[in-house]
Amino acid sequence: MDKKSEGYEYADYYKGYVGLVPEGDIIQVLSDQMKETVGIISMLNDEQLLYRYETGKWSIKEVIGHITDTERIMSYRLLSIARGETTSLPGYDENAYVEEAGFDDLPVEELLEHFVSVRLSTIQLIKSLSKKALARKGTSNGYPVTTRALMMIIAGHEIHHRNIITERYLSKN
Protein backbone atom coordinates (compact mmCIF):
# COMPACT_ATOMS: atom_id res chain seq x y z
CA MET A 1 0.00 0.00 0.00
CA ASP A 2 1.37 3.39 -0.96
CA LYS A 3 0.68 5.18 2.31
CA LYS A 4 1.21 8.68 1.01
CA SER A 5 -1.30 8.51 -1.84
CA GLU A 6 -4.05 6.71 0.00
CA GLY A 7 -4.76 8.98 2.97
CA TYR A 8 -8.39 9.16 1.86
CA GLU A 9 -8.77 5.63 3.22
CA TYR A 10 -8.59 6.65 6.87
CA ALA A 11 -9.20 9.56 9.24
CA ASP A 12 -6.46 12.18 9.66
CA TYR A 13 -6.03 10.97 13.24
CA TYR A 14 -4.34 7.82 11.92
CA LYS A 15 -1.78 9.53 9.66
CA GLY A 16 0.86 9.39 12.39
CA TYR A 17 0.42 5.64 12.81
CA VAL A 18 0.33 4.85 9.10
CA GLY A 19 3.38 7.03 8.52
CA LEU A 20 5.42 4.82 10.85
CA VAL A 21 4.81 1.62 8.88
CA PRO A 22 7.68 0.62 6.61
CA GLU A 23 6.95 -0.14 2.96
CA GLY A 24 6.72 -3.79 2.10
CA ASP A 25 4.58 -6.83 2.68
CA ILE A 26 2.22 -6.05 5.57
CA ILE A 27 2.15 -9.70 6.65
CA GLN A 28 5.92 -9.67 7.06
CA VAL A 29 5.80 -6.29 8.83
CA LEU A 30 3.21 -7.57 11.33
CA SER A 31 5.13 -10.81 11.90
CA ASP A 32 8.45 -9.01 12.41
CA GLN A 33 6.85 -6.51 14.78
CA MET A 34 5.40 -9.26 16.90
CA LYS A 35 8.82 -10.83 17.35
CA GLU A 36 10.47 -7.48 18.12
CA THR A 37 7.88 -6.48 20.71
CA VAL A 38 7.92 -9.87 22.42
CA GLY A 39 11.73 -9.73 22.47
CA ILE A 40 11.78 -6.32 24.15
CA ILE A 41 9.05 -7.01 26.68
CA SER A 42 10.19 -10.50 27.67
CA MET A 43 13.58 -9.09 28.75
CA LEU A 44 12.03 -6.75 31.36
CA ASN A 45 11.68 -7.43 35.06
CA ASP A 46 8.57 -6.77 37.16
CA GLU A 47 9.79 -3.38 38.33
CA GLN A 48 10.34 -2.24 34.74
CA LEU A 49 7.00 -3.66 33.59
CA LEU A 50 5.12 -1.70 36.27
CA TYR A 51 7.08 1.54 35.78
CA ARG A 52 5.18 4.70 34.85
CA TYR A 53 7.27 7.51 33.44
CA GLU A 54 4.79 10.08 34.74
CA THR A 55 1.85 10.15 37.15
CA GLY A 56 -1.32 9.09 35.38
CA LYS A 57 0.49 7.28 32.55
CA TRP A 58 0.08 3.59 31.89
CA SER A 59 2.63 0.98 32.98
CA ILE A 60 4.41 -1.04 30.32
CA LYS A 61 2.07 -3.95 31.11
CA GLU A 62 -0.87 -1.65 30.49
CA VAL A 63 0.63 -0.44 27.23
CA ILE A 64 0.99 -4.04 26.01
CA GLY A 65 -2.58 -4.77 27.07
CA HIS A 66 -3.75 -1.64 25.27
CA ILE A 67 -1.91 -2.62 22.07
CA THR A 68 -3.60 -6.03 22.23
CA ASP A 69 -7.08 -4.68 22.96
CA THR A 70 -6.76 -2.11 20.19
CA GLU A 71 -5.68 -4.78 17.73
CA ARG A 72 -8.68 -6.88 18.74
CA ILE A 73 -10.96 -3.93 18.02
CA MET A 74 -9.24 -2.94 14.79
CA SER A 75 -9.26 -6.56 13.57
CA TYR A 76 -12.98 -6.75 14.28
CA ARG A 77 -13.43 -3.57 12.26
CA LEU A 78 -11.27 -5.04 9.49
CA LEU A 79 -13.33 -8.25 9.45
CA SER A 80 -16.65 -6.39 9.53
CA ILE A 81 -15.79 -4.04 6.69
CA ALA A 82 -14.16 -6.80 4.63
CA ARG A 83 -17.39 -8.78 4.89
CA GLY A 84 -19.43 -5.82 3.68
CA GLU A 85 -20.75 -4.37 6.92
CA THR A 86 -22.55 -1.10 6.24
CA THR A 87 -23.39 -0.17 9.84
CA SER A 88 -21.09 2.40 11.41
CA LEU A 89 -18.81 0.63 13.86
CA PRO A 90 -18.43 2.18 17.32
CA GLY A 91 -15.40 3.82 18.85
CA TYR A 92 -14.12 2.97 22.30
CA ASP A 93 -12.60 4.70 25.33
CA GLU A 94 -9.05 3.35 25.54
CA ASN A 95 -8.51 4.69 29.06
CA ALA A 96 -11.67 3.01 30.37
CA TYR A 97 -10.62 -0.27 28.75
CA VAL A 98 -7.18 -0.16 30.39
CA GLU A 99 -8.67 0.84 33.75
CA GLU A 100 -11.07 -2.11 33.70
CA ALA A 101 -8.61 -4.70 32.39
CA GLY A 102 -6.29 -5.22 35.37
CA PHE A 103 -3.27 -5.68 33.11
CA ASP A 104 -0.82 -4.93 35.94
CA ASP A 105 -2.12 -8.00 37.82
CA LEU A 106 -1.45 -10.39 34.94
CA PRO A 107 1.86 -12.21 34.50
CA VAL A 108 3.83 -10.79 31.58
CA GLU A 109 3.85 -14.22 29.97
CA GLU A 110 0.05 -14.14 29.83
CA LEU A 111 0.00 -10.61 28.40
CA LEU A 112 2.45 -11.66 25.70
CA GLU A 113 0.45 -14.82 25.00
CA HIS A 114 -2.64 -12.68 24.40
CA PHE A 115 -0.66 -10.31 22.19
CA VAL A 116 0.84 -13.12 20.09
CA SER A 117 -2.46 -14.98 19.69
CA VAL A 118 -4.27 -11.81 18.61
CA ARG A 119 -1.48 -10.91 16.18
CA LEU A 120 -1.44 -14.40 14.65
CA SER A 121 -5.21 -14.23 14.28
CA THR A 122 -4.93 -10.82 12.58
CA ILE A 123 -2.33 -12.18 10.17
CA GLN A 124 -4.52 -15.19 9.31
CA LEU A 125 -7.48 -12.91 8.70
CA ILE A 126 -5.49 -10.64 6.39
CA LYS A 127 -4.11 -13.61 4.46
CA SER A 128 -7.66 -14.79 3.80
CA LEU A 129 -8.93 -11.54 2.27
CA SER A 130 -9.47 -11.00 -1.43
CA LYS A 131 -8.35 -7.82 -3.20
CA LYS A 132 -11.99 -6.78 -3.34
CA ALA A 133 -12.36 -7.24 0.42
CA LEU A 134 -9.14 -5.29 1.07
CA ALA A 135 -10.47 -2.30 -0.86
CA ARG A 136 -13.84 -2.17 0.89
CA LYS A 137 -14.66 1.01 2.72
CA GLY A 138 -16.79 1.25 5.82
CA THR A 139 -17.34 3.62 8.69
CA SER A 140 -15.71 3.34 12.08
CA ASN A 141 -16.01 5.80 14.93
CA GLY A 142 -17.77 8.16 12.52
CA TYR A 143 -15.01 8.16 9.87
CA PRO A 144 -14.58 6.28 6.61
CA VAL A 145 -11.89 3.60 6.60
CA THR A 146 -10.86 0.73 4.34
CA THR A 147 -9.78 -2.72 5.37
CA ARG A 148 -6.39 -2.03 3.76
CA ALA A 149 -5.98 1.06 5.93
CA LEU A 150 -6.93 -0.86 9.06
CA MET A 151 -4.00 -3.23 8.44
CA MET A 152 -1.66 -0.24 8.35
CA ILE A 153 -3.26 1.32 11.43
CA ILE A 154 -2.77 -1.90 13.40
CA ALA A 155 0.92 -2.01 12.45
CA GLY A 156 1.48 1.70 13.03
CA HIS A 157 -0.28 1.68 16.38
CA GLU A 158 2.09 -0.98 17.67
CA ILE A 159 5.15 0.88 16.35
CA HIS A 160 3.90 4.09 17.99
CA HIS A 161 3.57 2.45 21.40
CA ARG A 162 6.80 0.45 21.09
CA ASN A 163 8.58 3.75 20.38
CA ILE A 164 7.02 5.24 23.50
CA ILE A 165 8.14 2.24 25.54
CA THR A 166 11.75 2.56 24.38
CA GLU A 167 11.90 6.37 24.51
CA ARG A 168 9.92 7.19 27.65
CA TYR A 169 10.03 4.06 29.77
CA LEU A 170 13.24 2.19 29.09
CA SER A 171 15.50 5.20 28.63
CA LYS A 172 14.61 6.40 32.16
CA ASN A 173 14.16 3.08 33.86
Side-chain angles (χ1 to χ4, degrees), residues 138-152:
T139 305
S140 177
N141 202 23
Y143 295 96
V145 67
T146 64
T147 53
R148 184 174 40 223
L150 284 162
M151 295 184 313
M152 303 301 286

Side-chain angles (χ1 to χ4, degrees), residues 61-75:
K61 281 185 165 185
E62 289 172 326
V63 172
I64 296 303
H66 163 72
I67 292 169
T68 304
D69 274 358
T70 298
E71 185 159 336
R72 283 182 170 115
I73 291 164
M74 294 295 179
S75 289

Side-chain angles (χ1 to χ4, degrees), residues 63-108:
V63 172
I64 296 303
H66 163 72
I67 292 169
T68 304
D69 274 358
T70 298
E71 185 159 336
R72 283 182 170 115
I73 291 164
M74 294 295 179
S75 289
Y76 168 73
R77 292 173 180 176
L78 194 154
L79 170 67
S80 298
I81 293 168
R83 300 293 193 254
E85 181 63 65
T86 58
T87 303
S88 182
L89 301 169
Y92 74 105
D93 181 341
E94 63 187 34
N95 290 308
Y97 273 52
V98 169
E99 187 176 318
E100 291 296 323
F103 294 128
D104 282 344
D105 298 328
L106 296 175
V108 68

